[in-house]
């Protein structure tokens, strides 16, 4: 039996989306280390209507947590954020993104390391791409070390297994390990 792997640079194409989020909401996708803490941080923002943790930016369709952790799928642990733009702007979400992690450590946040923990912004349209790049460049002005955050078009987002959704909330934890810059 021959096993074929898609090792190409292009991420997996987006599958049909099973829903469009809450009415009038917009979508943003961020990777900033362990998705449990990232989700918890975004859920605290007024105007964030819904979140989901999952995997994106890879080259394997329908990855599992175990496969992503092995580092061979190319996916990042990420959070899909649905937000009401009348209550919170994409720019404000970007500000929160920069505050909740260290964007200068490649493939690492705190004690977690591997490409699945990389810092990345997955833009859903040209406006988000432009805002993310401008935000990254502005953030760089306040840092000595080089930002390594990837800014890339969004690709397929695969919702993580149910036990990962709202994990910290379900287990009574306020967040993951502190990020120190």
């Amino acid at each position: 039996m021959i096993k074929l792997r898609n090792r190409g640079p292009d991420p997996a194409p987006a599958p049909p989306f099973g829903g469009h989020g809450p009415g009038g909401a917009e979508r943003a996708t961020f990777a900033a280390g362990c998705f449990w803490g990232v989700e918890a941080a975004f859920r605290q923002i007024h105007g964030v209507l819904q979140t989901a943790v999952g995997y994106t930016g890879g080259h394997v369709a329908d990855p599992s947590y175990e496969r992503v952790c092995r580092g061979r799928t190319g996916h990042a642990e990420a959070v899909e954020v649905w937000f009401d733009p009348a209550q919170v702007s994409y720019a404000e979400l970007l500000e929160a993104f920069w505050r909740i992690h260290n964007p200068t450590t490649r493939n690492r946040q705190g004690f977690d390391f591997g490409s699945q923990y990389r810092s990345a912004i997955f833009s859903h349209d040209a406006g988000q791409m432009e805002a993310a790049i401008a935000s990254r460049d502005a953030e760089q002005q306040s840092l000595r070390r080089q930002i390594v955050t990837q800014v890339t078009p969004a690709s397929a987002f695969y919702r993580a297994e149910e036990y990962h959704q709202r994990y910290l909330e379900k287990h009574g934890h306020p967040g993951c390990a502190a990020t120190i810059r």
Side-chain angles (χ1 to χ4, degrees), residues 61-85:
D62 201 25
S64 67
Y65 180 70
E66 290 75 21
R67 288 187 74 194
V68 170
C69 286
R70 284 188 216 122
R72 295 185 186 158
T73 69
H75 289 88
E77 288 192 11
V79 177
E80 185 175 69
V81 177
W82 286 91
F83 65 100
D84 179 349

Side-chain angles (χ1 to χ4, degrees), residues 86-152:
Q87 297 180 50
V88 63
S89 68
Y90 184 68
E92 290 170 309
L93 295 178
L94 287 166
E95 288 174 20
F97 170 79
W98 299 118
R99 284 192 314 267
I100 64 174
H101 81 297
N102 183 345
T104 67
T105 55
R106 187 173 309 282
N107 299 332
R108 180 182 196 118
Q109 290 299 313
F111 298 117
D112 297 324
F113 60 92
S115 63
Q116 71 270 29
Y117 299 115
R118 68 186 177 268
S119 174
I121 301 168
F122 299 93
S123 63
H124 290 275
D125 60 34
Q128 283 189 359
M129 177 67 77
E130 184 178 316
I133 291 169
S135 176
R136 179 199 59 202
D137 294 349
E139 184 68 16
Q140 183 62 67
Q141 299 304 310
S142 67
L143 299 174
R144 289 184 181 172
R145 295 181 60 199
Q146 186 68 35
I147 289 176
V148 296
T149 302
Q150 297 173 342
V151 179
T152 185

Side-chain angles (χ1 to χ4, degrees), residues 17 19-27 47-51 81-85:
F17 187 71
H20 298 285
E26 293 183 17
R27 178 173 39 166
V48 169
L49 305 174
Q50 178 178 307
T51 60
V81 177
W82 286 91
F83 65 100
D84 179 349

Side-chain angles (χ1 to χ4, degrees), residues 1-53:
M1 175 165 81
I2 298 174
K3 292 185 179 181
L4 300 175
R5 290 187 202 180
N6 177 359
R7 292 188 181 257
D10 296 331
F17 187 71
H20 298 285
E26 293 183 17
R27 178 173 39 166
T29 307
F30 303 100
C34 172
F35 52 25
W36 296 343
V38 178
E39 180 186 37
F42 278 106
R43 289 188 62 74
Q44 294 177 23
I45 298 172
H46 178 75
V48 169
L49 305 174
Q50 178 178 307
T51 60
V53 298

